[in-house]
Structure formats: structure tokens, C-alpha cells
Amino acid sequence: MSTVLELVLEAGDIAETHADAAIFKYAQRFYGVAGAMAKKLEAAGVSKSQLEVPVGQHRFVETRGALGAPLALFLGTVRLSELGYHELRQLAVRALQALESRQGLRHAVTTVHGPNYGLDEDEAALALVGGLVEAFQRGSGPQSLERITVVELDPGRAQRLRKALERGLGGTPGIQPLPGGTGFRVQRMNAFVQAPPLATAGTVSMQKPHAFVAMAFAPELEDTYHYGIQGPVRAAGLLCERVDEAIFDGPIIQRIKERIETAKVVIADLSMANPNVYLEVGYAWGRGRPTVLLVRDVKELRFDVASYRCIVYRSIRELESLLTRELERIV
């Protein structure tokens, strides 16, 4: 029985990653990575109906050369709009339990879930990896399992998530960093021990207040979000959440409304004059949520918000400083 697991987070494409099995979620519709993989499998002769797994169940399919892994595991979860940190943690536990039927399996690969549909990216990764750590330490998974690779397509996000995992795993019993800072070595426990701090991330996150960020999803604003907004939000003790409209079809409006209604504060960057951002600001005002308006240039402001107080920033560093002070006042 393998008593040590290498848990690694890498930048790359899960479709091209060589492993014994690839793990995906099916949130009662095909989205994101699972949707892209379903198309690849369908082209190889695997019907999409084989991948449509009811909530709480799982299914293995042979990938027929469509993916780098010969075997794919699809886990049925609740709908995307209902999928939170706790569900991600449970998804990881379920994955290792399902893989127990595949003895001889040495390497599994999965991907990060959550950041694009409204979850804090650090907390989502902590919930997933926490579930993997706890499940392995308690004895779940194939006895032959030696490595789990968590793959993230965006290199910048992969780098940020590595740092988040380093912070989350610091001082956790039975875990040591691997050389090069790419991952960790996880030791199975001989007896039950209290769940490591990282493994409780999914539960703690359900009780932690969040800020909802409304802004255009544009390459030129990515650094603004990750370095100008996330830092002050987390320093204020809040999760930082936003929703990528590109991956939603039907449930997006309900998802946005729910996250605005429950937000401690709504932060809206009005740069680029995106009409959807203005819509979200109007909804936040209608629901009486504290709202912070940001913009790079006052000339980008539209409609009546020009008469409201708005933080104008000329650099990301200036935004970080101004927003920190504003959140200290509100939170």
C-alpha cells in the first residue's frame, strides 16, 4: 500500500496530461473543462449521454485516445449555481473513494473548479486540495496511488494558487513541500488525527463573508482584479468572488443576484463602461448592499453614476491603497 502521495499543481492542459485517470465533474450540464472534454470524447465515439451522471453518482469511461489519460471519471454534482466550497471538498473525497475500484492506478489528474463561476480562487483550490489531503490521510484512494496532479490552464492563476496552497498547508502534520515548490508530499496517517486546517477550508468558507466584484472580463483588467482588488478584499477578512459570464447561459442571472444579495460589500469597476456591470450596480443599490465604485478615468463613466462618489485610480498600486482604506471604513 502506498503511504506517500505526491500532490502537485501545474500549469497545463488536462486533455494533454498523461496520467492513469482524469477526474471531472458533471454539474447537471456541461460547462468549462468538462464540456470541452465531453466534445473530445464524443469525437472519439463516446456518447455525451454516458457522461451525464446524476447527483451523487459517478461513472468511468474509456477515453479511446481522446485524452492523455486512458480513463476518465465523471462525478455527478449539484448544479453549477449551487456548487460551493463545501461541495468542492466533498467532490475531492468522492473522487478518491471512486478510484478505489481501480487498483493499480498510480497517477490521477484533475483541475481547479470554481474561480470562473463566482468562487474565490484561493479558497476554491484550498477546498479541493483539502479534500484530497484529508481523504488520502484517512486511507481513501487506490492502494497503489502515488501522485495527483492538479492542472490549471492559466499559468498566472497556477502560480497564484501554488502560493495559496503553500500558505494553507504550512505547518500541517504529515505534509512536506516538494523540491522546486511545485507541490507537496502527503503522508498517510497510521491512526485518525484531527483534519488538517487545509482540509476544513470548504466548511469554513461557507461561514465567511464575501465581496462580490462586478467588472468587465478583459485581459487589460486582469491584473487590476488579481493585484488591485483581491489583496484589499482579503485583508479585510472577506472572500473575493466574481462571475465569468462567458461560461454561463441560463443560471448566470440567478447566480449573480444571489451573490450580490449575500455580499458584505459589492465592488464595481466601471472601467470600459460594460453595460452588465452597470446592471449589477443597479441591482446592488436596489438590494441596499454597500457598494464601492471604481474607474480608471472619469471619462469612462456613464449614466447617473457620474454624480456618485467613485474611486478614480491611475495605477494598480494606487487602487490597492485607496480600496484598502475604503474597505476599512465599510467593513
Side-chain angles (χ1 to χ4, degrees):
M1 177 178 181
S2 175
T3 59
V4 177
L5 174 72
E6 287 191 355
L7 185 55
V8 178
L9 194 150
E10 295 180 348
D13 187 343
I14 191 170
E16 300 174 359
T17 302
H18 293 283
D20 298 317
I23 304 166
F24 305 101
K25 72 177 187 304
Y26 175 68
Q28 306 315 298
R29 295 186 72 170
F30 289 108
Y31 299 98
V33 173
M37 298 307 104
K39 289 180 181 178
K40 289 180 177 291
L41 291 169
E42 189 175 38
V46 180
S47 170
K48 278 190 174 182
S49 62
Q50 293 180 253
L51 314 177
E52 297 173 348
V53 188
V55 177
Q57 298 184 27
H58 67 269
R59 187 169 299 152
F60 288 98
V61 296
E62 302 291 336
T63 66
R64 305 181 184 183
L67 307 181
L71 188 69
L73 167 63
F74 280 79
L75 297 141
T77 72
V78 294
R79 295 183 182 278
L80 201 61
S81 59
E82 303 168 9
L83 198 66
Y85 306 103
H86 178 68
E87 288 74 22
L88 291 180
R89 179 176 172 277
Q90 292 302 311
L91 179 73
V93 175
R94 289 177 52 206
L96 284 196
Q97 291 173 342
L99 291 175
E100 289 177 359
S101 65
R102 303 287 169 154
Q103 293 303 323
L105 187 149
R106 302 164 70 90
H107 180 198
V109 62
T110 190
T111 189
V112 177
H113 308 282
N116 289 335
Y117 59 83
L119 299 183
D120 181 286
E121 66 177 20
D122 285 7
E123 206 72 15
L126 290 170
L128 176 73
V129 173
L132 295 171
V133 167
E134 181 185 25
F136 181 81
Q137 287 192 329
R138 293 183 174 180
S140 294
Q143 294 185 4
S144 54
L145 186 63
E146 297 176 350
R147 179 185 173 99
I148 297 177
T149 302
V150 180
V151 176
E152 167 55 46
L153 189 60
D154 183 338
R157 177 176 287 163
Q159 184 176 8
R160 293 192 301 271
L161 294 183
R162 282 199 198 102
K163 294 180 180 178
L165 295 182
E166 288 172 6
R167 293 191 298 268
L169 279 167
T172 303
I175 299 177
Q176 294 180 332
L178 289 171
T182 59
F184 309 89
R185 183 175 291 107
V186 183
Q187 185 78 37
R188 283 198 197 270
M189 297 299 184
N190 295 325
F192 173 78
V193 295
Q194 183 179 356
L198 180 62
T200 64
T203 303
V204 172
S205 300
M206 292 190 298
Q207 305 168 356
K208 199 171 183 179
H210 70 274
F212 180 84
V213 180
M215 64 188 301
F217 272 76
E220 56 265 44
L221 291 180
E222 283 301 287
D223 283 350
T224 300
Y225 174 72
H226 292 298
Y227 302 107
I229 297 176
Q230 274 189 339
V233 167
R234 289 172 177 158
L238 306 175
L239 299 179
C240 193
E241 302 184 347
R242 65 174 180 167
V243 176
D244 185 353
E245 299 170 14
I247 70 164
F248 275 84
D249 43 23
I252 182 172
I253 296 299
Q254 186 57 38
R255 178 76 174 186
I256 290 174
K257 289 168 62 177
E258 188 273 334
R259 299 320 288 166
I260 289 176
E261 290 169 1
T262 56
K264 185 80 171 178
V265 62
V266 174
I267 300 170
D269 192 325
L270 302 176
S271 304
M272 303 184 69
N274 184 291
N276 289 337
V277 176
Y278 279 87
L279 179 64
E280 292 161 25
V281 169
Y283 188 76
W285 285 350
R287 301 302 295 178
R289 305 318 301 153
T291 305
V292 178
L293 302 181
L294 315 172
V295 73
R296 298 176 301 184
D297 189 331
V298 292
K299 294 179 181 178
E300 294 184 276
L301 293 177
R302 301 291 185 270
F303 309 117
D304 291 338
V305 298
S307 62
Y308 287 82
R309 180 170 180 267
C310 187
I311 295 176
V312 181
Y313 63 92
R314 291 165 294 184
S315 67
I316 292 175
R317 179 169 294 183
E318 182 181 26
L319 171 59
E320 183 180 21
S321 175
L322 293 172
L323 184 55
T324 296
R325 289 202 296 268
E326 187 70 9
L327 291 177
E328 286 175 352
R329 183 183 66 83
I330 293 175
V331 179

